[in-house]
Amino acid sequence: MSSIQVQPLRDDLSFGARVAGVTLAVLEDFQVRERLRQVFQERGMILFEEVEPDARLQVEISKVFGPLKDHPVPTVPRAGGALYPGVIEIGQKPREGNIVEIDGKEVTSWLPWHFDHCYNNELNLAGVLRCVTGVSEGGETGFADGIGLYKRLSPALRRQIEERNIVYTLNLRFAEMRFGLADGFREIQPHAALQRTIDYGKQLPRAVHPAVWTRATGEKVLHISPWMAEGIEGDETPEGDALLESVCKEMLADIAPYFHKWRATDMVIWDNLRMLHAVSGHDPDEPRIMHRTTIRGDYGLGYFEGNAQGDKILEMTV
């Protein structure tokens, strides 16, 4: 087997791994690919270090874990061009997108804790990110393990939420978040370019996903996205909302995340069925550009209310 080096992401974390030595040539080794899949299954997230900053390598690393899922919106920039259409570019010009205030500081490109495609009946297996244009401060991507979140949740709340399902809708407006919004949050400038998507999302069916699910390996996962959550299925009442808010508040207060400060030679994959992720935000006057691939795969537990049919736009990833 070709040589790759695998280490824990950090000694105090129960998730995540660092992997060095991955190249296009190394990925031709079947045993290497099997080892990477095993690490991903066990650790939920892999940081690939000292990799070539290249669209082809990003695609080949992604394909180790499953087929790519292209973005459904044709206007989203394809960083890999016609040759690698699954690589999309995420970024914006200075002061072009959303600007929020977090604890008295203005930042852009901030994202609250979430899992991708919560507003769709089908999730994706994973996302793969690399940073093309970094920032001087901030712009870190945070990752938190749903297995650990479940274990840390108080027994009383765990019993109340365990058999519940959460309703989600495609609403990208942070100011309209109903659960888990930080006390120090203020929206200064909404993302004007996304307003059409936000308005259209209100016409789409709502998706439902379990608050807790059990992996084939037996671990229970607390898998709640405070962003875009609408309430508890069958209990969208003041009491139900209070329960969900209590779970979100405790979950976020006790979260033990890893925040990654990006280098050009880093690439990260995370398990979207297990992990939550967030973005810390950065100075609105600085550009930040990321390249992303999305890997198809679902756990089969989500559905639309009333067996409704979805829309292609619900395949977008934020």
Side-chain angles (χ1 to χ4, degrees):
M1 181 174 73
S2 300
S3 175
I4 60 170
Q5 297 81 51
V6 180
Q7 296 179 322
L9 180 64
R10 210 170 64 200
D11 289 341
D12 63 330
L13 294 174
S14 61
F15 67 91
R18 296 177 182 268
V19 173
V22 173
T23 64
L24 287 171
V26 165
L27 288 177
E28 294 178 2
D29 188 327
F30 175 78
Q31 289 180 290
V32 167
R33 298 166 78 91
E34 282 291 295
R35 175 69 173 132
L36 291 176
R37 284 190 282 266
Q38 178 187 20
V39 172
F40 177 74
Q41 171 70 14
E42 292 175 354
R43 304 294 292 181
M45 173 200 162
I46 300 174
L47 166 59
F48 296 96
E49 297 184 300
E50 300 302 322
V51 295
E52 189 73 22
D54 172 73
R56 182 184 174 192
L57 181 58
Q58 183 166 357
V59 167
E60 291 306 314
I61 286 176
S62 302
K63 286 163 60 178
V64 169
F65 305 95
L68 270 64
K69 184 174 186 177
D70 196 13
H71 199 289
V73 180
T75 55
V76 171
R78 264 58 177 179
L83 192 59
Y84 306 111
V87 185
I88 64 170
E89 184 170 293
I90 303 171
Q92 61 197 28
K93 296 176 182 177
R95 295 200 170 266
E96 180 184 61
N98 69 291
I99 300 176
V100 303
E101 182 179 277
I102 303 291
D103 295 329
K105 184 176 182 179
E106 288 190 16
V107 295
T108 189
S109 296
W110 176 84
L111 290 179
W113 290 102
H114 67 286
F115 60 88
D116 289 333
H117 287 191
C118 62
Y119 47 79
N120 197 359
N121 63 330
E122 293 184 7
L123 305 184
N124 62 65
L125 174 64
V128 180
L129 276 180
R130 68 183 180 95
C131 183
V132 177
T133 302
V135 294
S136 57
E137 183 181 358
E140 299 179 359
T141 306
F143 301 93
D145 185 14
I147 296 174
L149 292 174
Y150 177 82
K151 292 177 179 178
R152 283 190 293 274
L153 193 66
S154 63
L157 285 179
R158 200 186 300 158
R159 285 193 299 271
Q160 292 179 78
I161 203 68
E162 182 119 24
E163 301 299 326
R164 302 295 193 101
N165 293 326
I166 310 301
V167 181
Y168 298 96
T169 190
L170 177 57
N171 187 347
L172 306 174
R173 280 291 302 276
F174 305 138
E176 296 177 6
M177 278 181 63
R178 304 194 62 234
F179 303 98
L181 195 57
D183 293 336
F185 171 89
R186 183 169 69 93
E187 184 177 67
I188 296 172
Q189 173 182 295
H191 201 313
L194 291 177
Q195 190 58 50
R196 182 178 297 181
T197 301
I198 292 167
D199 293 339
Y200 186 64
K202 296 175 182 178
Q203 308 171 37
L204 298 171
R206 302 194 304 176
V208 182
H209 292 278
V212 176
W213 72 282
T214 305
R215 286 163 33 105
T217 45
E219 303 96 337
K220 290 190 174 183
V221 179
L222 181 63
H223 204 232
I224 294 175
S225 174
W227 189 23
M228 304 193 216
E230 286 285 293
I232 297 174
E233 183 186 35
D235 195 8
E236 293 183 69
T237 63
E239 294 76 17
D241 289 352
L243 171 59
L244 183 53
E245 176 68 358
S246 295
V247 172
C248 289
K249 286 289 190 182
E250 184 175 306
M251 178 179 77
L252 298 179
D254 294 339
I255 202 167
Y258 166 80
F259 273 90
H260 184 66
K261 187 172 182 62
W262 290 96
R263 299 169 299 179
T265 54
D266 292 337
M267 208 174 294
V268 171
I269 181 173
W270 71 95
D271 184 343
N272 186 52
L273 309 179
R274 167 177 172 177
M275 312 289 292
L276 299 184
H277 61 286
V279 182
S280 66
H282 64 273
D283 187 331
D285 291 317
E286 290 191 74
R288 175 179 179 266
I289 298 175
M290 308 293 291
H291 285 182
R292 171 176 174 135
T293 46
T294 301
I295 301 168
R296 182 176 288 118
D298 186 36
Y299 61 174
L301 301 176
Y303 53 89
F304 288 124
E305 285 184 313
N307 296 315
Q309 293 296 310
D311 185 280
K312 191 172 178 62
I313 196 172
L314 290 168
E315 296 177 6
M316 68 183 291
T317 302
V318 294

